[in-house]
Amino acid sequence: MKKILLVEDDPNLGLLLQDYLQLKGKFDVILCKDGEEGLKAFTKQPFDLVILDVMMPKKDGFTLGKDIRKVNAHVPVIFATAKAMIEDKTQAFNLGGDDYITKPFRIEELLLRINALLKRAENAEKKGADDMPSQFKLGSYNFDYTSQLITRGDAIQKLSTKEAELLRLLCLKRNEVLTREEALLNIWHDDNYFNGRSMDVFLSKIRKYLKDDPSVEIINVHGRGYKLLIN
């Protein structure tokens, strides 16, 4: 079942949309009443699509959309607003929105747009998975993500699934910062304290697996995350 985050400050409209999308679309819909509540919900669990009202208290939809894009650059986002000005539509798409619907709208039209975006995202994910490299050269080590193995000469180290996923993220962002938030949401789907401590343990193990080659280093970037360096 696909999970949708719906952030709408009008309680009547919010409940109407939630009920309809759960009944007709067969989605699991989490409803939040303002932007701050919506951001908290988004950072605690993974969502397949987000619907944001623009005019909301505490944090408006455009600001929330910008914050969401910092966490996840790919989740489909639909902005919903009573404004029909071209400037608002331009702002919505410039912030990384995938669609824009003007109130009042037919719920059936919203459902059609949701299904179209989810289908597009699914196709992109399949294509991305096919194009994603699974073999990495780390100094004198070879890392095979598919078989979850690190090899160096005759030495072979088997990785756990989460170790392999974490090392692949580091490899894909080689010489760039992998933020703690990005790693936790991608692998654990929740960036809470306990998952963070668990990730630290896995990272410590990965460092030990690579310790015999001084040209390979995983450094901490204070306040941000980690960086895989290969000299």
Side-chain angles (χ1 to χ4, degrees), residues 65-231:
K66 188 176 181 180
D67 290 340
I68 283 174
R69 277 288 171 255
K70 292 177 182 177
V71 179
N72 188 318
H74 305 294
V75 63
V77 176
I78 299 176
F79 288 102
T81 179
K83 294 183 176 182
M85 296 175 64
I86 187 63
E87 292 85 356
D88 295 302
K89 294 183 179 181
T90 300
Q91 185 176 0
F93 289 116
N94 284 342
L95 287 172
D98 298 275
D99 206 347
Y100 185 105
I101 191 165
T102 305
K103 297 178 179 178
F105 54 80
R106 292 176 59 87
I107 303 181
E108 296 85 353
E109 179 186 354
L110 177 62
L111 181 57
L112 288 173
R113 291 176 183 237
I114 289 171
N115 286 329
L117 284 176
L118 288 174
K119 184 65 175 178
R120 185 195 308 171
E122 185 178 331
N123 290 337
E125 186 176 341
K126 288 180 179 177
K127 185 177 185 299
D130 291 340
D131 295 342
M132 193 79 74
S134 61
Q135 302 276 345
F136 302 92
K137 181 70 174 174
L138 308 176
S140 58
Y141 295 97
N142 291 299
F143 168 46
D144 186 329
Y145 169 73
T146 304
S147 62
Q148 299 180 194
L149 293 176
I150 294 176
T151 57
R152 183 172 185 254
D154 296 329
I156 299 175
Q157 175 64 56
K158 178 69 174 176
L159 304 183
S160 70
T161 297
K162 281 188 166 53
E163 287 170 350
E165 289 176 348
L166 182 55
L167 183 54
R168 182 174 70 155
L169 284 180
L170 287 163
C171 290
L172 292 172
K173 302 202 73 169
R174 175 176 171 173
N175 296 323
E176 298 178 17
V177 176
L178 172 66
T179 67
R180 285 181 63 85
E181 192 173 50
E182 181 181 354
L184 287 168
L185 290 174
N186 270 280
I187 300 173
W188 280 267
H189 308 300
D190 192 329
D191 62 347
N192 65 46
Y193 171 81
F194 299 102
N195 287 338
R197 296 299 297 162
S198 176
M199 182 172 69
D200 290 338
V201 172
F202 285 115
L203 195 64
S204 178
K205 290 181 178 179
I206 292 172
R207 285 188 172 115
K208 289 180 181 178
Y209 301 154
L210 303 173
K211 66 180 177 60
D212 290 332
D213 187 341
S215 71
V216 181
E217 187 179 12
I218 299 173
I219 64 170
N220 292 336
V221 181
H222 182 68
R224 297 182 63 192
Y226 313 100
K227 184 185 291 188
L228 171 65
L229 298 176
I230 302 176
N231 300 317

Side-chain angles (χ1 to χ4, degrees), residues 34-52:
D34 60 60
E36 289 185 357
E37 185 180 318
L39 183 60
K40 288 179 182 177
F42 186 81
T43 56
K44 287 182 178 179
Q45 56 187 305
F47 288 94
D48 298 290
L49 184 136
V50 177
I51 303 170
L52 305 178

